[in-house]
Amino acid sequence: MAEKATTPPILQGPTAKEKKYDRQLRLWAASGQAALENAKVLFLNSNSGVVGVETLKNLILPGVGSFTIVDETKVSELDLGVNFFLEESSLGRWRAEETCKFLQELNPEVKINALRESIDAFADDPNRLEQYSLVLLIGPTRNARVLERICQHADKSSIPLFYIHCQGFFSQFSLQLPAQFPIVDTHPDPASTQDLRLLNPWPELLELLEKKTGNLGSLSDHDHGHVPYVLILLHFLNVWKASHDGQAPANYSEKKQFKALVESGARTNNSEGGEENFDEAAAAVLKSLNTPSISSGLREVFESDDCQNLKSTSANFWVIANGIQKFHTSHNGILPLPGALPDMKAQSSDYIQLQNIYKAKARSDLAAVTQTIRSSEQEVGRKSSIEQAEIEAFCKGAQFVKLIHGRPIRVAKCSAEIDWSDRAKALSQEIQDPDSLLPIYFAFLALDRYQDDIDRIQKLRKPTDDQQFNDIMAGRVVSGAVPPLPTFAESAHFSTPAVDPEHDPKPWPRFDIPEARETFDNVVKELDRADWGELHNIAALTGGMVAQEVIKVITKQYVPVNNTCVLDGIASKTAVFKI
């Protein structure tokens, strides 16, 4: 009697969410998408805010969790000309609410809120920022106090803050990150992440080597041409060591000789005139036969006091870093094996077998690190254990970990100079380049100071007490006590005194060459001509750039700018500066 046929299981296709976000999932995976969907973004608008709206657009489409717009302004005719998320019926209504209504149409899954209030309320109440994951603040702010207080609150709560300017053909944004902002998944070039561990093979790999290359010369042409190049390199390393006192190729000259040795082992009496697997082996010599070392970024992490001295309150990052540092020390300078194997010419069965050996070694190293971490957790009295997936991700990307030290945003006040501290000399040297975009950044600082100056003068024009009111009414105000409002161009030269950065305790970058001076003056004229207005194309481009950096910060993947980016829309150039 024939056996009854069984119905094969139904294949599970992608979910609706996976289809919707397919391309971005390939960039930052499910973990990054989850971080994005849990994020709460605060948008503080102190100008027309088109650049901020364009930023939000680029965050709503990939599915940011929620955002809140804080704006006390009503829609004007000017707004209708530059903000694509308003229409004629919006005129005279609250701008925050109208903007939210049209942004919501982009992605109904995103939670959108609007608050009709001044950003001063957020500057005065530090607790209001704590519920948010990230803050977008549009400049220029009404006065320096608002910017300074918000920066301080964000820094105290370790909330990333973007301060964005966009006016005329120019824009810039500065990023204030927490004092320590570690990134494990930096997405390095795949070609640089291959750790084949050829100079430190383990027993299982050597056993496979003997099995596949013990009689290399007697293999058939087909089998000889399909030996994985990893095993070819290991085989000829043994040949080399036999005539070099057991030492592997140590310098460029020796590696060139070793490469020639590998190439000499290829069979050329075939239709191809060579073998692809031997070509792969020769090409991998220089990048695969290197003494184990760690990157400068990882060394900085290992040497940090937070890594060396764990506490019960230590962040997961430092606990895992401590475990990997101990593994590195106990294994003669070797990091946990990532386990990834590059593609290569080989028979499927051989490749799978080799791949399994690498994966098994990676799991073994991971288990050793995990055991160390569990012991450390008990020693310091941590209340919760770190998830295995987080430890595994760190082990795979340990070599390329990046620890960014957040820098404060520079606040320009009408009554005080900026202290450039450690950046004064570098910025002074940078400004000497006639093609530098740094003058654009200084021009926006001038705009901040000018706005602060206007706010101060306007307050002087308003009676603040009975005596001042009586003096004004009696005409007894001393000449100059209430100065006239200056133009931006008249007040923009605050940032240009020629001082010596080697000796001045609060030095400003210098404008010592005519080209830099001329560039600064031209930017000031353009900003003055724009008269606080935004061009939509520049705002849209800047919004896309900011949104990209926001996603990096939220997902803690890739490496965000550190810490200021400038756009010259006239020359179509961008530049990043550490300010």
Side-chain angles (χ1 to χ4, degrees):
M1 183 176 179
E3 293 185 4
K4 184 178 179 179
T6 58
T7 303
I10 300 175
L11 296 177
Q12 182 67 43
T15 64
K17 180 178 178 180
E18 289 171 339
K19 290 180 180 178
K20 181 177 182 178
Y21 298 130
D22 174 65
R23 294 197 174 187
Q24 63 201 50
L25 285 169
R26 302 182 194 184
L27 286 175
W28 52 71
S31 60
Q33 185 65 27
L36 189 64
E37 292 175 2
N38 290 326
K40 297 179 180 180
V41 177
L42 175 65
F43 171 35
L44 300 174
N45 191 14
S46 60
N47 200 0
S48 58
V50 179
V51 65
V53 173
E54 289 295 324
T55 301
L56 291 181
K57 177 195 73 176
N58 290 289
L59 296 176
I60 292 170
L61 291 172
V64 69
S66 68
F67 68 82
T68 299
I69 296 180
V70 177
D71 192 341
E72 62 176 344
T73 310
K74 290 185 177 181
V75 177
S76 66
E77 292 280 359
L78 178 62
D79 293 320
L80 298 180
V82 293
N83 191 334
F84 282 8
F85 292 92
L86 297 172
E87 59 182 13
E88 288 187 15
S89 63
S90 303
L91 190 64
R93 298 179 179 178
W94 294 106
R95 190 166 62 187
E97 296 173 354
E98 289 296 300
T99 303
C100 286
K101 180 174 65 176
F102 292 105
L103 284 171
Q104 185 72 78
E105 295 178 359
L106 296 176
N107 193 340
E109 296 177 2
V110 176
K111 296 179 181 179
I112 301 178
N113 305 298
L115 295 179
R116 282 184 275 164
E117 61 179 284
S118 166
I119 65 173
D120 292 37
F122 284 83
D124 293 333
D125 186 357
N127 298 324
R128 299 193 68 182
L129 291 183
E130 293 181 356
Q131 60 182 302
Y132 298 101
S133 309
L134 183 139
V135 178
L136 301 174
L137 175 59
I138 307 302
T141 55
R142 192 171 59 108
N143 57 57
R145 182 192 65 82
V146 171
L147 173 59
E148 187 172 42
R149 296 286 289 276
I150 291 177
C151 289
Q152 289 173 353
H153 298 336
D155 180 60
K156 184 178 179 181
S157 302
S158 297
I159 299 173
L161 168 68
F162 284 80
Y163 184 49
I164 311 165
H165 282 104
C166 185
Q167 189 165 316
F169 284 99
F170 304 112
S171 67
Q172 74 90 15
F173 63 90
S174 295
L175 168 58
Q176 176 179 290
L177 289 171
Q180 292 180 334
F181 191 79
I183 303 176
V184 174
D185 195 356
T186 56
H187 291 264
D189 181 1
S192 66
T193 62
Q194 298 170 4
D195 182 5
L196 301 179
R197 203 61 57 83
L198 298 181
L199 298 181
N200 303 92
W202 56 100
E204 293 80 4
L205 183 59
L206 293 176
E207 183 179 342
L208 180 65
L209 172 67
E210 177 61 27
K211 179 180 178 181
K212 295 296 180 181
T213 65
N215 297 302
L216 187 62
S218 62
L219 294 178
S220 65
D221 286 347
H222 178 272
D223 290 342
H224 193 271
H226 285 79
V227 176
Y229 83 76
V230 170
L231 300 182
I232 292 174
L233 288 175
L234 284 171
H235 170 79
F236 283 99
L237 268 175
N238 290 337
V239 175
W240 173 277
K241 289 178 179 179
S243 59
H244 290 79
D245 298 325
Q247 301 298 313
N251 52 48
Y252 179 74
S253 176
E254 290 183 349
K255 288 179 181 179
K256 284 187 64 177
Q257 297 175 37
F258 178 76
K259 181 180 178 181
L261 175 63
V262 172
E263 292 172 335
S264 69
R267 295 179 182 177
T268 57
N269 57 344
N270 51 33
S271 58
E272 291 81 12
E275 294 177 306
E276 185 178 346
N277 57 337
F278 275 78
D279 292 340
E280 291 175 343
V285 168
L286 294 179
K287 65 180 180 181
S288 299
L289 301 183
N290 296 310
T291 304
S293 62
I294 61 174
S295 64
S296 58
L298 183 58
R299 181 175 295 106
E300 179 188 5
V301 170
F302 282 171
E303 294 174 355
S304 171
D305 183 68
D306 292 289
C307 179
Q308 297 290 335
N309 302 296
L310 296 182
K311 305 178 182 65
S312 60
T313 56
S314 294
N316 290 358
F317 174 85
W318 295 114
V319 178
I320 301 175
N322 176 270
I324 294 179
Q325 191 269 335
K326 291 178 178 178
F327 180 96
H328 177 263
T329 301
S330 62
H331 287 73
N332 300 318
I334 296 175
L335 292 172
L337 186 71
L341 199 63
D343 192 19
M344 61 189 71
K345 181 70 176 291
Q347 298 185 86
S348 296
S349 58
D350 291 345
Y351 182 81
I352 292 173
Q353 188 175 6
L354 183 63
Q355 190 177 52
N356 288 337
I357 289 175
Y358 271 83
K359 288 183 177 180
K361 176 60 175 172
R363 287 193 294 269
S364 175
D365 289 355
L366 172 62
V369 173
T370 302
Q371 184 177 2
T372 302
I373 291 173
R374 299 301 180 222
S375 298
S376 297
E377 289 175 335
Q378 291 182 353
E379 289 175 7
V380 300
R382 281 175 62 94
K383 296 181 179 179
S384 59
S385 297
I386 302 172
E387 293 185 4
Q388 182 78 4
E390 188 174 354
I391 301 174
E392 182 177 2
F394 202 140
C395 287
K396 288 182 177 180
Q399 181 66 281
F400 304 95
V401 162
K402 182 76 173 178
L403 180 63
I404 298 178
H405 298 283
R407 301 181 66 84
I409 289 174
R410 305 292 181 178
V411 179
K413 303 178 184 179
C414 62
S415 58
E417 298 293 344
I418 293 179
D419 181 3
W420 295 98
S421 59
D422 62 318
R423 299 306 300 160
K425 185 174 182 179
L427 295 177
S428 295
Q429 292 173 342
E430 169 66 29
I431 206 68
Q432 305 309 309
D433 181 359
D435 295 323
S436 174
L437 300 188
L438 196 55
I440 296 177
Y441 171 76
F442 291 133
F444 276 115
L445 276 183
L447 190 64
D448 272 345
R449 172 167 287 190
Y450 174 62
Q451 181 66 36
D452 190 49
D453 199 32
I454 288 178
D455 181 70
R456 178 182 62 86
I457 294 173
Q458 287 177 336
K459 286 180 178 178
L460 287 175
R461 287 169 175 262
K462 298 176 182 179
T464 57
D465 53 41
D466 291 341
Q467 182 59 48
Q468 185 178 15
F469 178 75
N470 293 332
D471 287 343
I472 291 174
M473 293 300 292
R476 292 197 298 268
V477 175
V478 179
S479 176
V482 183
L485 291 176
T487 65
F488 171 48
E490 290 172 345
S491 64
H493 297 283
F494 76 98
S495 62
T496 59
V499 296
D500 185 357
E502 293 288 348
H503 302 97
D504 197 305
K506 294 184 178 180
W508 282 79
R510 304 170 64 183
F511 289 80
D512 283 350
I513 59 174
E515 291 86 350
R517 177 77 250 180
E518 181 181 1
T519 300
F520 177 81
D521 290 340
N522 288 338
V523 176
V524 167
K525 292 176 183 177
E526 168 57 26
L527 295 182
D528 193 37
R529 185 190 68 81
D531 193 24
W532 314 103
E534 294 182 72
L535 298 178
H536 186 270
N537 57 341
I538 301 298
L541 176 58
T542 306
M545 294 165 58
V546 174
Q548 175 178 276
E549 300 306 314
V550 168
I551 291 173
K552 292 177 183 178
V553 173
I554 290 175
T555 61
K556 289 193 174 181
Q557 295 186 34
Y558 301 92
V559 181
V561 298
N562 187 19
N563 62 334
T564 296
C565 180
V566 176
L567 167 66
D568 181 348
I570 297 175
S572 297
K573 293 168 57 179
T574 61
V576 174
F577 303 105
K578 186 177 181 181
I579 302 297

